[in-house]
Amino acid sequence: DAVLPNGDLHISGQQTININGEKTNIKLKGRVRRADIASGNTVLSTRLADAAIDYDGTGYVNRSTKTGVATRIMNWLGIS
């Protein structure tokens, strides 16, 4: 994405995985030092600074883990 003034690299990427109708989107961004990039153009996750990971999906499993509308309203009203 960008080279920072100290030489670090701001990187980002995303991947979509579709398994049995379940679509999962994974987005990653952060900062790496050039010295931490391996010969195969890979970076260990432990070497990613300021990491932000977004994990979202669609399908039955994702829908079943979301709170229902009535529960969200009750929580908002402080009734739960």
Side-chain angles (χ1 to χ4, degrees):
D1 288 342
V3 178
L4 302 174
N6 67 352
D8 287 357
L9 304 172
H10 184 269
I11 57 105
S12 65
Q14 66 181 27
Q15 183 173 21
T16 301
I17 302 168
N18 190 351
I19 301 173
N20 295 329
E22 295 286 325
K23 185 184 282 188
T24 303
N25 302 306
I26 303 168
K27 296 179 183 177
L28 172 77
K29 65 181 177 178
R31 183 173 46 90
V32 297
R33 299 181 310 161
R34 290 180 191 266
D36 293 329
I37 301 173
S39 61
N41 201 30
T42 58
V43 177
L44 293 174
S45 61
T46 56
R47 306 308 301 167
L48 182 63
D50 303 329
I53 302 168
D54 183 31
Y55 182 84
D56 190 20
T58 60
Y60 177 77
V61 173
N62 188 62
R63 284 191 307 269
S64 66
T65 61
K66 291 189 177 180
T67 307
V69 173
T71 303
R72 285 185 277 164
I73 292 171
M74 289 174 47
N75 288 340
W76 184 75
L77 294 173
I79 300 173
S80 60

